[in-house]
Amino acid sequence: FLYLYQEGIMINMMILITRIADPISLAVLTICLFVYLIIKKEKISASIVAFSTILAISSEWVLKMGFGRTRPMAGIISVTGYSFPSAHATLSLLFFSLVIYSFKDEIVGRFYKGAFILGNILLIVLIGMSRVYLNVHYFSDVIGGFALGLFWLSLSILTFDIIINKKHKKANFGKA
């Protein structure tokens, strides 16, 4: 379906969207998010960002090497390396979900909070679509990347939630 609409302006829009999730762009944005959280003294959130990002990058690389799946032929942009899972999908889902997780409570008003969350989710989906549209990934590569990003996001948040709850219980033990 996407291949039917591969035209000049759409191609340029998809290239722009896919560049948002380039490794260097997301590395800079992730470092900025990490530093911002440290400055705000939100050490747990900063730890979740660091922990999940390092694990996602590492596991994505290991899976790419393990599967060794070649990319589709004749991509619109030049990309090297293996195809499955999509690093763009993995890291965009992880990063923009962490942005939602980190800032959702700071946004006042249902409309603005909903728009913020929806905008980030839309960006994740568009980045995934851009990889298929530009013919540098199969749809299954993108779904695999989203699943991997969601796995590390969920595991990181749950792990730190358990750590926080254990410390909280320990600190309140015997009080009442």
Side-chain angles (χ1 to χ4, degrees):
F1 174 76
L2 291 176
Y3 302 132
L4 297 174
Y5 298 97
Q6 287 180 330
E7 305 176 342
I9 194 156
M10 265 309 270
I11 290 172
N12 290 334
M13 284 177 30
M14 289 296 173
I15 289 172
L16 178 66
I17 290 167
T18 207
R19 286 202 175 131
I20 293 168
D22 278 343
I24 293 172
S25 300
L26 279 183
V28 169
L29 290 172
T30 301
I31 290 167
C32 290
L33 177 60
F34 178 81
V35 168
Y36 173 81
L37 293 169
I38 292 293
I39 290 169
K40 293 228 11 167
K41 297 185 179 8
E42 294 185 25
K43 293 177 185 173
I44 299 299
S45 293
S47 297
I48 290 170
V49 168
F51 184 73
S52 60
T53 302
I54 290 167
L55 290 172
I57 290 169
S58 302
S59 62
E60 180 272 328
W61 184 83
V62 167
L63 288 171
K64 270 194 193 296
M65 296 302 117
F67 283 101
R69 184 179 195 185
T70 57
R71 291 183 182 272
M73 301 296 283
I76 293 175
I77 58 174
S78 178
V79 180
T80 59
Y82 293 125
S83 186
F84 183 87
S86 166
H88 278 71
T90 301
L91 298 176
S92 67
L93 184 131
L94 181 63
F95 176 78
F96 293 108
S97 296
L98 287 168
V99 167
I100 293 169
Y101 179 80
S102 299
F103 295 107
K104 69 183 179 328
D105 295 332
E106 294 182 25
I107 298 173
V108 179
R110 270 177 93 172
F111 174 79
Y112 295 113
K113 187 178 287 195
F116 173 74
I117 292 169
L118 185 62
N120 278 283
I121 290 170
L122 184 61
L123 194 52
I124 294 166
V125 170
L126 285 173
I127 290 168
M129 282 178 51
S130 75
R131 304 306 286 168
V132 176
Y133 181 91
L134 295 170
N135 204 35
V136 293
H137 278 292
Y138 298 103
F139 182 69
S140 57
D141 299 338
V142 172
I143 296 302
F146 284 160
L148 184 61
L150 187 59
F151 171 77
W152 287 119
L153 174 74
S154 302
L155 184 66
S156 299
I157 291 172
L158 287 172
T159 299
F160 283 95
D161 189 44
I162 290 168
I163 291 168
I164 291 167
N165 284 336
K166 278 187 178 182
K167 284 183 180 180
H168 186 263
K169 284 180 183 179
K170 207 179 241 187
N172 289 327
F173 184 73
K175 294 182 181 177

